[in-house]
Amino acid sequence: MGHVPGLDEPLKKTLGPATAKVLAEQLGLHTVGDLLHHYPRRYAERGELTSLAELHDQLDEHVTVVAQVADARVHTFNGGRGRRLEVTLTDGAGRLQLVFFGSGVHKPHKELLPGTRAMFAGKVGMFNRKLQLSHPAYALLGGGGDGDEAADRDAVDSFAGQLLPIYPACGKLESWKISKAVDAVLPSAGDAVDPLPPALREGRGMLPLPEALEKIHRPRTKADIAQARDRLKWDEAFVLQVALARRRFADSQLPAVPRRPAPGGLLDAFDAKLPFTLTDGQRTVSREIFDDLATEHPMHRLLQGEVGSGKTLVALRAMLAVVDSGGQAAMLAPTEVLAQQHHRSVTEMMGELAEGGMLGGSDLGTKVVLLTGSMGVAARRQALLDLVTGEAGIVIGTHALIEDKVQFHDLGLVVVDEQHRFGVEQRDALRSKGKQPPHLLVMTATPIPRTVAMTVFGDLETSVLDQLPAGRSPIATHVVPAKDKPHFLTRAWERVREEVESGHQAYVVCPRIGDGEDEPKNGRKKVASPEDEAEKRPPLAVLEVAEQLAAGPLAGLAVEVLHGRMDPADKDDVMRRFAAGQVHVLVATTVIEVGVNVPNSTAMVIMDADRFGVSQLHQLRGRVGRGSAPGLCLLVSEMPEASPARARLAAVAATLDGFELSRIDLEQRREGDVLGQAQSGVRSSLRMLAVIEDEEIIAQAREEATRVVRADPELAGLPGLRTALDALLDTERERYLEKG
């Protein structure tokens, strides 16, 4: 037997520099171990055909299909000087066209005869309303030729009669070439160090890791694939959960100042003046938070709540408890609009209790200060002074809170609102301002399915608020098909006018500002499909829509705009006048997505609603129906009725349950998008695990990981697990977990 490369060996030594360069640049694979963990996306059987109908969802992507040639014809053009070969593939239900030009037509014309089965790889395009692969590479199944001279016929022949692994590929390296590369390194699988403790693996009846790697790449049966997948999913779930369990364990060893509210103090005075009673959910969650705050180790808690469930009130009571105990609390908000909104609502809720040390303020009160980047020099200097002397018990601000010159007298609690918008470093910088590690409360209004919470926020304990306060009104949501039924859009503007005439206000949300500097906001890939005419034009913009509404359907009403690039003072002025009822209709970007609370706003029209994600639409909708009058949300779209985009909008219209919508959202998006930036480098470690489908595995892995770490925090007796953890925690991920 020849040289068996080690798992850390660079692919350049095993496969040669040209192939290794493509694998590194296109697929991020650098070592033998990386390639062994590049698993097949799916498997085709020799006689089985790929479902060509599914390719509609993969426009502009590199795909590998197994299909049969139905027809092949050469067409001439330019007076016979040019030649084009068109080959039609079929799977019995769908059809796919291949096209070859010029001198490239000769070989495929001889080989791709009707009835031939082959694997084809290329980028899915659309031409004349038909799916097409242009100049695809191909490999005949059963010993035929190959559309690319460099592909290896022997490797293709070896596929005959077995399950064909179809690998995630790229334009420069087809699936079967990756398969050949895997063949070269597969003997190294025997050296793979098993991260699972033997008792755990044997107790659950799982394959050893080398055998799982062999079976995932070269299965003989479908049972081989299932066994290998189960084992490899466990590896990913378990190693990640061990990393998070060690983070939780380390946090539990840190010292913190216990913060208990003083009887008859600020918190009691605040509760006594509340004009309503707390919901059962608010009481339960508050109790969990107060129990954490009373311990000698820092709280690390995630508070996730339905839109409008009263998270801010729960967070404020936690901040007041800390102030009661002699400490200070800081709330970090992602935008100036939201920081100002929080400051306004907190000072309104507290009344004279927010005027500590001021004339007319309560003896029990404290100062509540705002700190943002756009504040004037004098106001900023005073705020900084109030913080360092301890005069201000509560500060609400943006990333301006993180600057070096901001010093606290005794920081006891950090509340991070909409945490997914903050980098790890920003949160860490604020937490480092305490004399001892402060308690941490992270809030999000984007409901997160339990498995994602265990994966993305696995180092935090979770509290859920899913009960709306009494007096909140239901929100009716309807899709407005602007292209199919333009009179529906006309009626939408009539409904807005009716709401204003009955004394209420409305929002109109657009995806873009329209000042010439902004690109489409949603980041979705443009699809060059003739059916999707709506996607060909730029998204509707705030400045244009506001002008059209003020001159047309909403003429005579006070229509104003709000977006992120306005001067901060202008933004604050518009929000104040809107809150005071002086502005009837606010045309805005998603700057109003979270935290903006104007109970008199009852209607929202979301333009180009298909350009927003499901969770984002749910967030936006939560801005209306916050008072006693019922809310109305209209989702305007030009997308065709049968399109996936319209199906998404119909899902939003059908339920107000944010947790249900978050599941739908995650099922429709790719795994990489699901975990987003919150996980930093960790997301790239999930190749096999699907956070929505594999809920049971993640929950069991978390339990096992907690047990293992409690018994052996340093993992001294588990060298295989330690090695796997070191591989997961490269520098970037280590930093993420250290600062999480």
Side-chain angles (χ1 to χ4, degrees), residues 74-372:
V74 173
H75 301 270
T76 58
F77 54 93
N78 279 353
R81 291 193 301 277
R83 303 182 75 207
R84 180 176 79 248
L85 171 65
E86 288 182 3
V87 179
T88 304
L89 305 182
T90 180
D91 61 357
R95 293 172 93 76
L96 173 66
Q97 193 171 60
L98 314 179
V99 61
F100 301 85
F101 291 99
S103 58
V105 307
H106 302 301
K107 194 164 182 283
H109 191 210
K110 279 191 300 188
E111 294 179 337
L112 297 179
L113 304 173
T116 305
R117 273 195 169 92
M119 283 200 291
F120 300 89
K123 192 174 181 181
V124 183
M126 183 77 82
F127 183 72
N128 279 346
R129 300 174 74 96
K130 288 181 187 166
L131 290 173
Q132 176 179 282
L133 300 184
S134 182
H135 275 283
Y138 63 88
L140 302 184
L141 295 178
D146 186 310
D148 184 334
E149 298 298 335
D152 185 60
R153 186 178 304 236
D154 295 338
V156 175
D157 287 347
S158 73
F159 287 143
Q162 68 185 47
L163 290 159
L164 310 178
I166 309 289
Y167 287 91
C170 60
K172 293 184 178 175
L173 208 61
E174 295 83 27
S175 170
W176 53 88
K177 290 186 183 172
I178 294 173
S179 188
K180 186 177 173 236
V182 169
D183 281 338
V185 302
L186 204 49
S188 308
D191 296 336
V193 181
D194 202 320
L196 294 191
L200 169 59
R201 181 175 64 73
E202 287 156 19
R204 292 185 175 270
M206 287 187 280
L207 296 177
L209 181 57
E211 192 181 335
L213 290 170
E214 180 75 38
K215 284 184 170 176
I216 200 74
H217 288 293
R218 297 294 173 261
R220 289 184 173 80
T221 64
K222 289 183 178 173
D224 282 355
I225 299 169
Q227 280 185 305
R229 277 191 167 144
D230 286 349
R231 167 61 220 252
L232 295 167
K233 282 182 177 185
W234 250 94
D235 279 17
E236 290 180 8
F238 182 70
V239 175
L240 177 55
Q241 289 301 334
V242 166
L244 294 165
R246 292 186 77 214
R247 177 69 255 149
R248 288 196 301 277
F249 182 82
D251 285 341
S252 73
Q253 306 305 301
L254 290 173
V257 179
R259 307 286 181 174
R260 298 183 185 88
L266 181 56
L267 179 61
D268 285 349
F270 175 76
D271 283 349
K273 71 191 288 296
L274 279 178
F276 50 81
T277 54
L278 300 177
T279 65
D280 292 343
Q282 286 172 326
R283 287 181 193 284
T284 303
V285 170
S286 289
R287 202 159 38 245
E288 291 170 352
I289 291 170
F290 290 154
D291 287 350
D292 283 358
L293 289 173
T295 65
E296 295 182 349
H297 303 290
M299 168 174 76
H300 288 87
R301 188 166 285 278
L302 169 69
L303 170 56
Q304 54 167 323
E306 202 36 285
V307 175
S309 57
K311 289 180 302 301
T312 309
L313 177 62
V314 169
L316 175 56
R317 294 183 75 241
M319 292 196 287
L320 295 175
V322 169
V323 175
D324 250 355
S325 72
Q328 291 169 293
M331 181 185 261
L332 188 59
T335 64
E336 290 211 353
V337 168
L338 190 49
Q340 288 161 345
Q341 175 75 37
H342 276 319
H343 183 253
R344 258 200 302 280
S345 57
V346 163
T347 50
E348 280 167 15
M349 280 195 273
M350 288 177 65
E352 73 278 1
L353 296 174
E355 296 167 358
M358 292 190 271
L359 198 61
S362 164
D363 293 343
L364 293 169
T366 188
K367 238 186 192 182
V368 179
V369 300
L370 176 69
L371 190 64
T372 65

Side-chain angles (χ1 to χ4, degrees), residues 369-390:
V369 300
L370 176 69
L371 190 64
T372 65
S374 65
M375 285 170 68
V377 175
R380 186 181 177 78
R381 191 178 291 128
Q382 185 60 52
L384 292 172
L385 186 64
D386 289 340
L387 286 178
V388 78
T389 59

Side-chain angles (χ1 to χ4, degrees), residues 536-590:
K536 285 192 169 179
R537 60 164 175 74
L540 292 170
V542 165
L543 300 178
E544 295 154 16
V545 168
E547 195 177 320
Q548 289 161 10
L549 291 177
L554 303 184
L557 303 185
V559 178
E560 299 243 5
V561 302
L562 182 71
H563 60 75
R565 278 205 289 274
M566 286 167 62
D567 180 270
D570 293 342
K571 276 191 284 197
D572 195 38
D573 176 55
V574 169
M575 275 312 300
R576 278 182 192 282
R577 288 187 293 112
F578 187 62
Q582 296 162 9
V583 174
H584 299 136
V585 179
L586 190 62
V587 185
T589 56
T590 53

Side-chain angles (χ1 to χ4, degrees), residues 530-689:
E531 290 95 321
D532 295 350
E533 289 294 330
E535 290 222 346
K536 285 192 169 179
R537 60 164 175 74
L540 292 170
V542 165
L543 300 178
E544 295 154 16
V545 168
E547 195 177 320
Q548 289 161 10
L549 291 177
L554 303 184
L557 303 185
V559 178
E560 299 243 5
V561 302
L562 182 71
H563 60 75
R565 278 205 289 274
M566 286 167 62
D567 180 270
D570 293 342
K571 276 191 284 197
D572 195 38
D573 176 55
V574 169
M575 275 312 300
R576 278 182 192 282
R577 288 187 293 112
F578 187 62
Q582 296 162 9
V583 174
H584 299 136
V585 179
L586 190 62
V587 185
T589 56
T590 53
V591 72
I592 60 147
E593 182 184 343
V594 286
V596 173
N597 183 25
V598 181
N600 193 44
S601 299
T602 53
M604 175 176 285
V605 181
I606 303 179
M607 307 302 292
D608 280 342
D610 49 89
R611 313 243 180 176
F612 299 96
V614 169
S615 294
Q616 200 172 27
L617 291 170
H618 182 59
Q619 284 295 313
L620 288 165
R621 169 171 63 184
R623 300 306 106 212
V624 296
R626 299 177 80 85
S628 54
L632 173 68
C633 180
L634 302 175
L635 307 173
V636 180
S637 174
E638 292 189 1
M639 299 299 273
E641 191 168 1
S643 63
R646 279 284 290 278
R648 269 203 334 270
L649 298 184
V652 175
T655 180
L656 291 170
D657 182 340
F659 287 92
E660 173 60 25
L661 285 173
S662 68
R663 283 195 82 90
I664 292 168
D665 197 16
L666 297 183
E667 281 161 8
Q668 290 179 344
R669 286 155 57 192
R670 299 187 178 179
E671 199 68 19
D673 300 334
V674 168
L675 302 178
Q677 294 307 304
Q679 272 201 306
S680 183
V682 174
R683 69 172 171 167
S684 58
S685 69
L686 301 188
R687 296 182 177 90
M688 187 63 77
L689 196 70

